[in-house]
Amino acid sequence: MAILRQGGASRALSASFKRLSASPSARNAFIQGSARQAAAVSSARMASTYYTGEPEAPIVKTDIPGPKSQEKITKLTKVFDTRSINMLADYTKSFGNYIVDPDGNTLLDVYAQIASIPLGYNNPALIKEAKSSEMISSLINRPALGNFPSHDWAEILETGILKVAPKGLNQVFTAMAGSDANETAYKAAFMYRRQRDRGGPAVEFTEEEMESVMNNQSPGASELSILSFKSAFHGRLFGSLSTTRSKAIHKLDIPAFDWPQATFPLLKYPLDKYAEENARAEADSLAEVERLITSYHVPPCAVVVEPIQSEGGDNHASPEFFRGLRTLTEKHGVLLIVDEVQTGVGATGKFWAHEHWDLPSPPDIVTFSKKAQTAGYYFGDPALRPNKPYRQFNTWMGDPARALLFRAIVEETERLDLVRRTAQVGDYLFGKLEALAAKYPGQFENLRGKGRGTFIAFDNPRRDDFLKKAKTFGINIGGSGPSAVRLRPMLIFEEQHADILLEALEKIVTTW
Amino acid sequence: MAILRQGGASRALSASFKRLSASPSARNAFIQGSARQAAAVSSARMASTYYTGEPEAPIVKTDIPGPKSQEKITKLTKVFDTRSINMLADYTKSFGNYIVDPDGNTLLDVYAQIASIPLGYNNPALIKEAKSSEMISSLINRPALGNFPSHDWAEILETGILKVAPKGLNQVFTAMAGSDANETAYKAAFMYRRQRDRGGPAVEFTEEEMESVMNNQSPGASELSILSFKSAFHGRLFGSLSTTRSKAIHKLDIPAFDWPQATFPLLKYPLDKYAEENARAEADSLAEVERLITSYHVPPCAVVVEPIQSEGGDNHASPEFFRGLRTLTEKHGVLLIVDEVQTGVGATGKFWAHEHWDLPSPPDIVTFSKKAQTAGYYFGDPALRPNKPYRQFNTWMGDPARALLFRAIVEETERLDLVRRTAQVGDYLFGKLEALAAKYPGQFENLRGKGRGTFIAFDNPRRDDFLKKAKTFGINIGGSGPSAVRLRPMLIFEEQHADILLEALEKIVTTW
C-alpha cells in the first residue's frame, strides 16, 4: 500500500514546496518533455511527470480533522458556517495532485475543490502568471467592464477565453461563477425570444410593457420559462435554482418560478446489456421535452442541460439523445443551453464535453466556470446580443484577473497536451475500475464515464462511509446524488496517481 | 482653467507611472504624514497628499474616444458588446484619481468604475498586497470555501471583512458581487421566516414540502416576498432584479416574482424649505410599507432598502425615516436588509452609510460589494444561519484573493484616516456646489448629499450632454436616474481635486 503513515517524507515535502514558492522561475521545475512518454509508465511509486517534488504517495498522520485542524475549525465556527466543512486545507503546502491539511495529512485529491482546480495546487506556470505585472494591474484596478474595458481586453479575450470557444460560438459574455453565468444566459434567452415574438430588434417596447414590468407583471415581465431536467443542477440563485432539481435541501423555502422539468433518461448499466431499454428511456425523455415545449402553460424559451448531470449523481445520456435534443429544440425555435460548468475544460477527454456528441449544429449557448477559474457564456448568433445596450449589464461583468488566469490555464493545458492525456488516463483508470467492479460485486455499481476521460463515477450502497473511509487511506474524494462516488481529478492526474487511487479503493471495500 | 491640452506634462506623467510600477517598494512613495495637514490646503495646483507623481490637472489631447481608442473599440466590438462603453482605459497608466485612455487623455475620475474603486488606480499599498505570497496562493489555489477553507480563513475574515463589520453584526456570508450578495441575503431571509413559522430549527420539513419543492411549488417553495422601494436598484439576477425598480430597460422581458414595492419618499429640495412636505412623504411611505407588510397577497419576509437610492438617482431619506423603518419591520417580525453595495466603505463620511441613522437596533442584514472589491452579507442573529448545512452554499462562496484585497483596503483606509477625510472633503465640496447652484439657477438643481461625505448629486436638465461635455473638460463623471449627475469620487479625493472638479462644472454650464 502506497500510503505512508506518520512518515518522515513530510519534511522533505515541505522543503520542496519552499523551494518552489521561493523561486521566481519555479516554472522551470516543470518537466518540459512530451507527455506521451509518460503514458507507458504505470508504477505507483513514480512521481508526477509535471511536478518536480510532488509526493510519491499520500501521508496520513492523524484522524481528519486532526488536532490542529480541530482547533482552527472551532475558531472559524464563531464567524463562519463550518457545518459543511469537508477538511481544512493549508494551500501553501498543497502541491500538484495533493492537498495538505494543517496536521500534515497529505491526500491525493480527486475531488479538486468540487471539480474546479484544473492544473494542481501551486502550479508553477500559474504562480508565474500571478506574479505578472498584467495580473497585478488587473487585480487592483478592477474595471466596470461594460463601461470602461481596458485597452487590451479584446486581446485578452481572444488569446484566452475565446481561444477555446466551442465551435460555432465566437462571442462571450463574462460572469463571476456558474450560477450567474447560467442566469445571464437565461436572460439572453428570454430577451431573444421576446424580441423574435415582437417582430425583430427594431420593434420598440410598448407603453404597456414599460409600465407593467415596473410592477413585475406581464407583458413587460415575460411569462416564459426555462425547461430543465430532473436531477439537474444549474446553481443556487433564484433563476438558476428554479432550474436546479438535484435535492430538496438545495431548494426548500426559496420562492421558485413555475418552470417545467423533463425526466432525464435513467440509463441502466452496463449499457450494452440494457441497450434497448436505455434507448426507450431516451426516446421517452425526448417525447416529454417536446410535449412540455409545445404545451406547458409557461412556454419554455430554452432548454438547459448538463452533458453529464454532475451534482445529480453523474447521470449520462448518449450522444444520440443530445443530437435529438438539438434537433427538437431547433424544430420548435427553442434555444439549447449546454451547462458545461462542471464538465468543461478537459476532464471528459475533450475540452468541452459536448464535443463528444457530433451535433448537427452547435448549441446556442454554452456556459462555463469551475476549472476555467472564471465564468460566462459563449454564443454565436449575433441576435443573442440584446437589441439595446444596458439590457445585459452589471458593474463588474466578470473579472479580468481571473480571465488572465484562464488564459494561463489554457496555455499550459495546450503546452502539455493535457486534454488528450486525460482521455488516455481516463481509459486506463476505467479499465482498472471495471476489473475492481467485477472482483467486488455491489461495491462499484453502475460504473460510468467510459470514454469520458477521468469523469468517472460509480455507486456504493454505503457511499457516505465510503467517502469518509477514503480519507483514512489518503484519498480526498467526493460524492453526488443519492449514492454516487464521483471522480473529479485534475488534468495533471496520471496513471501512477490512478494506481494509488485504485489501491485505496480496493482497501476501502475490503475493510468494511 | 487647470486643464492641459496637448501638454507636455503627459510624458512626465508616464515616467512617474513607470517608476512606481517598476519599484517593488512603491508603497514608500506614499506620503506617510497625517492627513490632517492636507485639510488646510486648497490650491487647485497642488498634487495628491497620498500619491507622489499624481497629475496636477487633467490632460485632454483628443476627442474621447480618440483615434487609438476608436481602433481598439472596433476590434473589441467583434467579440464583446461595446454599446455601453463609456471610455476605454489604460489601467497600466491610470494613477491615483486619474484615469488614462489609450490616446493619453488623463481625466479626473469622479465616477471610479461605477463607485467601486476605493483608493485610486495603481495604489502602491494594493500593489504590495497583490505581490504578497498570500495573494499569489489565494489566486491560484482557489478553494471551495464551504468545504475546504484554508487554515487561516478565520484570521483573514477577522482582520479584514469582519474588522469593519457594522455594529451588532459579527457574522458574514461571503459572495462574489452585489447581486448575489443580495440574493443570498434574501435566501437567508426566506429560510429564517419559514423556520420561525414552522416552529423553530428542530422542526423537520414535511414530506409534502420535500416533494412540492422539487416541482417549484408551495409549500416547499415558499410563497413569500421581499419588499423593495420604487426606484430601488439591488442587482440584475432573477431574485435581485425582482426587487430592482430603477428603469424598465433593466427589467424588460425577464420573468419576475410577484413581490411588492413601496413608494420611496420623494424629498423636495432645499430640505429646510420643504421640511413639512417631506416629513409627510416619509410618513406616507412608512404607512405604505406597513400596509404592504400586513396585506400584500405574497407576504414580505424582509424589506430591502438602500441608504441612498443610487442607480435610481441619488434619492435620500432622513434618519428618522430609516429609524421608522427599523421600528416598523421589528414590530411585524420582518427583516430589515440594508443594501450598502454602493454606499458602503466610506464614501458617505461613515464607513457604512447606515451609521448616520442612529438606529434603535442594528439592521438584520447589511450587504456589501463595490469598494470592498469583494462581496457578501453581514448578520448578527445566529438564527440567520440556516438550520442545516448546504442550504446556503455554492462552490466558491466568494473569493479569498478579493478578501485579502479588502483587508489591505481597510488597513490603508484606517492608516490614512480616509473616512474622516472624506467627510471633510465632502463638506468642502458641498459648500462650493451650493455657491455654484446659487450662481447658476437650474443647472445644479436639487443639490443633495449634505453631510454625506462626497456622496453628492444634483440634477441637470441636459444631463446626458452634461456628462459628455465633462470629458472635454477633463472629468469622468457618471449619471443616474432620469436626470442626476452623481459624484462618486474615491476616498483619496481631496480639496485640490474638488477645486479642479468645480472649475470644470462651472465651465460646462457656462459654455452650452
Side-chain angles (χ1 to χ4, degrees), chain A residues 80 116 139 142-143 174-182 184 235-237 240 341 368-370 372-376 394-403 405, chain B residues 116 138-139 142-146 153 157 161 172-185 234-237 240 341 367-378 392-403 405-406:
Chain A
F80 193 77
S116 71
L139 201 53
R142 187 172 191 173
T174 47
M176 309 284 296
S179 276
D180 63 307
N182 282 334
T184 46
R236 290 164 164 264
L237 300 172
S240 48
V341 167
F368 63 97
S369 182
K370 289 202 185 255
Q373 293 283 301
T374 184
N394 59 69
T395 298
W396 284 329
M397 289 189 13
D399 184 342
R402 296 281 172 194
L405 201 67
Chain B
S116 71
S138 292
L139 201 54
R142 188 173 190 172
L145 262 178
W153 183 232
L157 287 174
I161 293 177
V172 68
F173 184 83
T174 47
M176 307 286 295
S179 275
D180 63 308
N182 282 333
E183 294 215 357
T184 46
H234 301 291
R236 289 164 165 266
L237 301 172
S240 48
V341 167
T367 63
F368 62 97
S369 182
K370 288 203 185 255
K371 272 197 277 293
Q373 293 283 301
T374 185
Y377 66 85
Y378 293 107
Q392 187 77 296
F393 185 89
N394 58 71
T395 299
W396 284 330
M397 289 189 13
D399 184 343
R402 295 283 172 193
L405 201 67
F406 187 28

Side-chain angles (χ1 to χ4, degrees), chain A residues 9 50 64 127 158 189-190 195 200 230 246 272 299 374 384 430 432 487 499:
Chain A
Y50 311 115
I64 297 173
I127 290 175
E158 280 164 5
F190 287 115
Q195 176 171 305
K230 286 177 188 164
S246 42
D272 44 8
T374 184
L384 275 166
F430 196 90
K432 298 274 185 178
L487 307 184
D499 287 338

